[in-house]
Amino acid sequence: MTVHRLHPRRRRESAPGGIPFAVVRISPEARRAARRVLESGWVTTGHETQRFEAEFAAHVGARRAVAVSSCTAALELSLRALRLPDGAPVLVPALTFCGAAEAVIHAGLRPVLVDADPATAMPTPDAVERAARACGGSPQAMMVLHYGGAPAPVDDLAEAAGLPANRVVEDAAHALGTSVGDRAVGSGLSAAACFSFYATKNLPVGEGGMVTTEDPELAARIGRARLHGMSADAWRRHLPGGTWRYSVEEAGLKANMTDVQAAIGRAQLGHFHDWQQRRNAVAARYDEALAGVPGLEPLTSPTPGRHARHLYVVRVLDRYGRDRDQLIELLADDGIGTSVHFIPLHHMPYFQRAAVVPPDGLPGVEALFPQLLSLPMYPDLSERDVDRVCDRLARLAAPARGRTRPRPRGLRTLVIGAGEAGRSLARDLAHTPEFGLDPVGFLDDDPARRDDGLAVGLPVLGGLDDTRDMVRAHRVEAVVVAIPGLAANRFRQVAQAAEGAGASVRYLPSFVAALQRDVVGSDMRSLDLSALTGRAELHVVSPDARSVIAGRRVLVTGAGGSIGTELCHQIRAFAPSRLFLLDHDESNLHRLQLELYGDALQGDDVVISDIRDRPRIDQVFRELRPEVVFHAAAHKHLPLLELHPCEGVKTNVCGTENLVRAAIAAGTARFVLISTDKAADPVSVLGATKRLAELVVCGSGQGTAPGTVFAAVRFGVVLGSRGSLLSVVNRQLTDGGPVTVPHPEATRYVMTIEEAVGLVLEAAHMACHGEVFVLDLDGPVRIADLVRTYARSQHMPDADIRYTGLRPGEKCDEPMLSSRERRTRTGHPAIAVATPVTRPVALARYLPALQAAAERNDTAGVRRILAALLPGFPAAAPDWAQAALADPYADDF
């Protein structure tokens, strides 16, 4: 079972004649049967349930059948009836519905996850043996899923687990009508087979389940347990001749089927043969039509037998030319519903804690999950509908025909630690290119591992002391530390060596926590930015940037912010003679100093100062004499600055001017301003004040400045920064509310925090004469698409988006360059310069008046001057009547 919409969400109203993923068919006979029961007045478990049990048992060839409230209840009751010891390990497929694993846990047992064969989506005997070893070689029971209705090799899997058939429970939620060889599922292949009558199953009732077994005592236990453990005939106590007396000898549930459900099920059972014939015909038409589509590969059956055709599942392979998630969205645009069965259990936080994962991970499931796609499959699906689905699939694959899509290139990654955690991490990264990290080798201090030479096919290149040399020798772009117990000072040594050689280092407390939970790759998905942006992450900073920093006195303003913090980490690795941390927020400064040095308040490198305080800034520069300045301090909350434009001018314009004057007076060699895409053709106070800050900085870098090189960089949306778009989206998703997006077509240029900081450091190295640097990105990302992709990565596929409308100062699109600028390439393949094509505004004429208006808090005057300085900026104050100020806003850039 999976949770999905019965009708697809269509983003375009013009999509003709939608094809739902699933359709519920309740026959006229079933409707009449339900009415008959309702009119009888007996609607709980009764004679209809008894008759359904007998008819269902005869249908599958079982000795006993017990009707229950759901398939999940059937699984739990069957496991309870086995009377296993508390906490006993039970083998469970890693690729199954979450309810199956929850049934194990609720029965007082512990699930042990079993890997899947990507070709079948079901475990192999080898995978079962590996999982059995993970629980000490003695699993107490096993759950076998007939995935999608295909037959599973029950006997072979039981033998691999070292279990008799009476310790196997079949999850037959998909498998009514399946046979293994010539034996029907439900007819005694295992201790118990558990069926589902969920609304979209082969026998749709709405809810309900059934357990079939050959063991009369097992059936009796389940029958008692479904009614609180009461005596088996407890439901009869209200019938003539019944008694109110009953006993309870063991724990039970309230999990009985009602007569209404049973009556519907009995009537539906009369149509089952015809419906299955129709499912077979639909599947055959899919098989024929998709045989010529490259990169769409139907799952195969792991053993001979009859397929129930509950699902039609294909694997979307690389050669198809589009990934699975893109394909889902494109089909939805055409009104074609799809689904994914299932999200792997070890991707979910609860099962990361509650389940056992084999030490070598679940590589088969990791490889398969990004490929899985279930197509519409139900008896009412017409040939025309099937042909339309297949035609659309073929057309979408057309661009990839005749060629193989290359594997996306990730950042060349060095893994610190070749132990179990490091090997698991490297394996996950190698199998999942969308993480954006390509492992090239390990470093490890253990001589035995170094002597072995290889770990999971990758070389062990040396010890931790070799970090700097190996980063340079192997052109490493990212380093991930995979030694959970690594001492803090040792970690800092490795990080500084890696960053000093030009590699970015992942600071991953969540990753360390994942290692301690025996989970590795799933938490790395929080770093997966290529999937969100549609491009590979760029490695921006080069070792040459070290020459600007090494041995110099460096000052970072706004050091306590997310961008400032990351800057300080990377700057420190380039060995400055001093690193001064300036911020007006003392708490953030204290936190940052602890991060950088392991202690705080031990030196005089922390500077509490407001950049608006000119005398204080002059004093700081006179005393510290910084040679390189990175200016990250700013007011940057767009809606609030629309309400308080004078404050934006005081900090973003006047504060920047204070820093520029002080830098020139102190003989600072290089000064880099961090700006925003909103500075391009600004219509907001934020954008206008940052554009003026650019002009203040870059104008000072030309002509009269005595030796100081000035430059600016523009950021788009920075993923991973505090207060960024994704942090807001994550909070909204976690809170269960809708995600607020300003406009369905709103787009932004998106970059990672590592890319943003790399751009700053490279700009310091490349700057000559007042340039404004930007990342040379392919194109913007639609915010709504970014939200949906992020929600799927967090296993929330149906993100509820509420469009708030553009607020005052917001633009639908935020280009990195204005209409009065052109893109000029640089010697760096990832960086361009925004070159003006018109004469810049005469800033000196207006700046004193702007500063004076801000000082007297003249909001109207400030807006008028900004409008005179910057074409397109609205002089009139915004109308806040329609503005959604209560909605969260991503205030970082």
Side-chain angles (χ1 to χ4, degrees):
M1 171 184 146
T2 190
V3 178
H4 51 68
R5 297 173 183 267
L6 297 185
H7 297 280
R9 179 187 65 231
R10 282 178 285 176
R11 295 201 328 235
R12 289 206 296 258
E13 292 301 324
S14 59
I19 301 175
F21 169 70
V23 169
V24 181
R25 174 187 275 195
I26 302 297
S27 65
E29 294 87 346
R31 297 173 193 275
R32 289 194 293 271
R35 277 198 303 273
R36 185 186 70 247
V37 172
L38 292 172
E39 290 168 358
S40 75
W42 187 270
V43 293
T44 186
T45 301
H47 294 300
E48 286 288 338
T49 304
Q50 281 188 318
R51 295 182 185 115
F52 187 29
E53 289 172 336
E55 292 168 12
F56 190 88
H59 180 86
V60 300
R63 186 176 179 185
R64 295 282 191 277
V66 183
V68 295
S69 58
S70 69
C71 185
T72 304
L75 292 167
E76 180 179 344
L77 291 166
S78 298
L79 290 167
R80 285 174 177 265
L82 295 181
R83 294 181 171 173
L84 303 174
D86 288 346
V90 177
L91 304 183
V92 179
L95 193 68
T96 189
F97 182 57
C98 60
E102 287 170 341
V104 177
I105 294 167
H106 295 162
L109 310 171
R110 188 169 190 197
V112 179
L113 303 188
V114 186
D115 201 11
D117 178 357
T120 66
M122 286 188 266
T124 63
D126 286 345
V128 169
E129 288 180 5
R130 290 197 299 275
R133 289 196 296 271
C135 59
S138 57
Q140 295 295 297
M142 178 170 62
M143 188 181 293
V144 173
L145 168 67
H146 299 278
Y147 184 94
V154 179
D155 291 343
D156 293 345
L157 298 181
E159 182 179 357
L163 292 169
N166 64 4
R167 284 293 178 267
V168 175
V169 172
E170 292 169 85
D171 182 348
H174 298 177
L176 181 56
T178 298
S179 67
V180 179
D182 57 359
R183 297 182 63 189
V185 169
S187 64
L189 290 165
S190 63
C194 302
F195 296 88
S196 173
F197 306 131
Y198 184 68
T200 56
K201 293 298 191 286
N202 291 34
L203 190 70
V205 171
E207 287 292 356
M210 190 78 74
V211 183
T212 62
T213 180
E214 299 302 289
D215 184 342
E217 178 56 29
L218 194 73
R221 291 176 198 161
I222 294 170
R224 290 191 296 271
R226 70 177 170 176
L227 277 166
H228 304 293
M230 296 161 64
S231 53
D233 62 350
W235 67 270
R236 296 174 178 269
R237 66 186 184 278
H238 298 298
L239 297 178
T243 176
W244 54 267
R245 299 181 185 278
Y246 62 85
S247 65
V248 176
E249 298 177 2
E250 55 190 340
L253 310 174
K254 182 66 167 71
N256 57 301
M257 179 179 284
T258 69
D259 263 17
V260 175
Q261 293 171 311
I264 294 172
R266 291 180 63 205
Q268 299 283 80
L269 197 58
H271 295 274
F272 182 77
H273 175 75
D274 292 340
W275 290 345
Q276 287 301 103
Q277 292 294 102
R278 179 61 196 155
R279 285 180 177 271
N280 290 334
V282 170
R285 197 171 187 93
Y286 269 132
D287 288 342
E288 181 181 0
L290 296 180
V293 179
L296 288 186
E297 186 174 290
L299 294 177
T300 61
S301 294
T303 193
R306 183 174 63 245
H307 198 309
R309 302 296 179 187
H310 168 60
L311 299 172
Y312 192 91
V313 183
V314 295
R315 297 169 61 195
V316 183
L317 305 178
D318 280 353
R319 63 178 180 272
Y320 183 73
R322 302 181 191 276
D323 67 34
R324 187 268 314 276
D325 291 354
Q326 290 174 327
L327 183 55
I328 288 173
E329 288 295 317
L330 290 168
L331 291 173
D333 283 346
D334 284 341
I336 297 172
T338 56
S339 190
V340 175
H341 298 78
F342 300 98
I343 297 169
L345 295 177
H346 67 292
H347 285 188
M348 304 180 194
Y350 176 61
F351 298 112
Q352 291 169 2
R353 299 188 299 269
V356 176
V357 178
D360 57 351
L362 301 161
V365 172
E366 291 295 346
L368 174 61
F369 173 59
Q371 304 170 343
L372 284 174
L373 180 63
S374 296
L375 302 178
M377 164 56 79
Y378 41 90
D380 289 330
L381 199 65
S382 68
E383 283 80 2
R384 182 177 179 180
D385 288 340
V386 175
D387 292 345
R388 181 179 152 200
V389 173
C390 295
D391 178 69
R392 187 59 179 148
L393 288 168
R395 289 178 181 275
L396 290 172
R401 283 183 180 154
R403 61 180 174 85
T404 300
R405 185 176 64 171
R407 184 183 189 271
R409 178 189 174 277
L411 300 181
R412 292 176 61 82
T413 300
L414 186 64
V415 179
I416 306 298
E420 179 180 313
R423 294 195 305 271
S424 297
L425 170 64
R427 188 183 300 109
D428 286 347
L429 295 178
H431 289 154
T432 317
E434 61 266 25
F435 287 161
L437 301 175
D438 251 338
V440 298
F442 298 92
L443 295 182
D444 200 293
D445 282 339
D446 187 335
R449 290 174 183 150
R450 293 167 64 175
D451 291 343
D452 288 344
L454 290 176
V456 294
L458 294 172
V460 181
L461 300 170
L464 272 61
D465 289 337
D466 300 317
T467 299
R468 187 187 305 274
D469 293 340
M470 292 302 104
V471 167
R472 290 174 174 170
H474 294 273
R475 295 174 288 112
V476 169
E477 298 166 303
V479 171
V480 179
V481 178
I483 306 176
L486 191 64
N489 64 337
R490 189 65 166 142
F491 179 89
R492 286 195 293 272
Q493 292 170 3
V494 170
Q496 290 172 29
E499 291 172 331
S504 64
V505 177
R506 306 294 175 156
Y507 292 85
L508 300 173
S510 61
F511 170 61
V512 173
L515 294 174
Q516 293 167 345
R517 296 197 302 268
D518 297 322
V519 178
V520 180
S522 60
D523 272 29
M524 292 297 293
R525 199 171 294 274
S526 64
L527 298 175
D528 175 12
L529 298 156
S530 62
L532 297 173
T533 62
R535 61 174 176 83
E537 185 177 357
L538 302 174
H539 182 65
V540 181
V541 66
S542 70
D544 293 338
R546 179 184 178 87
S547 63
V548 177
I549 304 297
R552 299 200 177 189
R553 302 161 70 85
V554 180
L555 171 70
V556 178
T557 76
S562 51
I563 299 297
T565 293
E566 184 66 17
L567 257 175
C568 291
H569 278 292
Q570 294 203 29
I571 289 168
R572 184 168 181 262
F574 283 154
S577 64
R578 297 287 294 276
L579 174 57
F580 303 111
L581 317 175
L582 188 150
D583 205 301
H584 69 97
D585 186 328
E586 71 277 13
S587 297
N588 273 341
L589 284 177
H590 186 261
R591 171 194 52 76
L592 175 58
Q593 198 176 31
L594 285 171
E595 284 183 21
L596 290 173
Y597 305 108
D599 55 19
L601 305 178
Q602 300 299 314
D604 58 355
D605 292 350
V606 171
V607 182
I608 299 176
S609 177
D610 190 329
I611 62 172
R612 291 154 60 155
D613 185 346
R614 182 170 178 175
R616 170 61 172 155
I617 291 299
D618 289 343
Q619 177 194 27
V620 168
F621 275 70
R622 278 196 311 270
E623 293 178 358
L624 303 183
R625 314 294 297 182
E627 296 168 270
V628 182
V629 173
F630 294 100
H631 175 27
H635 278 326
K636 52 196 176 183
H637 194 293
L638 187 148
L640 288 180
L641 290 187
E642 291 299 302
L643 285 169
H644 304 285
C646 298
E647 299 307 304
V649 169
K650 292 173 188 176
T651 293
N652 296 351
V653 182
C654 301
T656 298
E657 187 183 35
N658 291 340
L659 291 166
V660 166
R661 288 176 180 271
I664 292 172
T668 298
R670 290 178 182 268
F671 186 110
V672 179
L673 164 74
I674 294 173
S675 187
T676 169
D677 53 1
K678 297 169 183 64
D681 294 329
V683 297
S684 65
V685 172
L686 170 58
T689 56
K690 293 303 284 186
R691 176 55 184 156
L692 294 186
E694 289 179 359
L695 293 172
V696 167
V697 168
C698 297
S700 300
Q702 297 175 356
T704 61
T708 305
V709 174
F710 289 84
V713 298
R714 283 184 194 157
F715 291 170
V717 171
V718 180
L719 302 182
S721 63
R722 185 186 61 198
S724 69
L725 172 65
L726 285 192
S727 67
V728 172
V729 170
N730 183 69
R731 185 169 69 251
Q732 291 177 319
L733 288 171
T734 302
D735 291 344
V739 178
T740 53
V741 172
H743 190 280
E745 299 303 321
T747 65
R748 297 292 184 267
Y749 281 88
V750 175
M751 61 188 67
T752 73
I753 195 166
E754 289 85 1
E755 289 174 330
V757 170
L759 173 60
V760 175
L761 295 174
E762 277 300 298
H765 167 64
M766 298 168 63
C768 296
H769 48 73
E771 302 95 336
V772 176
F773 293 98
V774 297
L775 278 183
D776 200 4
L777 303 176
D778 292 334
V781 176
R782 196 164 64 163
I783 296 176
D785 292 342
L786 183 71
V787 168
R788 291 190 183 99
T789 304
Y790 179 78
R792 285 195 298 269
S793 77
Q794 302 302 305
H795 316 306
M796 300 178 185
D798 291 317
D800 182 12
I801 295 177
R802 179 166 64 86
Y803 297 105
T804 61
L806 295 172
R807 286 173 279 204
E810 280 190 317
K811 291 190 286 189
C812 194
D813 302 310
E814 292 280 10
M816 298 298 292
L817 276 66
S818 84
S819 57
R820 289 172 289 279
E821 295 171 330
R822 58 180 170 82
R823 184 184 303 271
T824 303
R825 293 194 173 276
T826 69
H828 194 298
I831 297 177
V833 169
T835 303
V837 296
T838 60
R839 190 178 183 86
V841 66
L843 187 62
R845 280 180 54 198
Y846 294 92
L847 204 55
L850 179 65
Q851 182 174 355
E855 289 297 332
R856 63 176 182 267
N857 298 309
D858 180 3
T859 297
V862 162
R863 294 195 69 93
R864 283 196 302 271
I865 297 170
L866 291 177
L869 277 165
L870 302 166
F873 181 83
D879 179 8
W880 292 100
Q882 303 301 319
L885 278 179
D887 295 320
Y889 181 80
D891 65 350
D892 213 345
F893 51 75

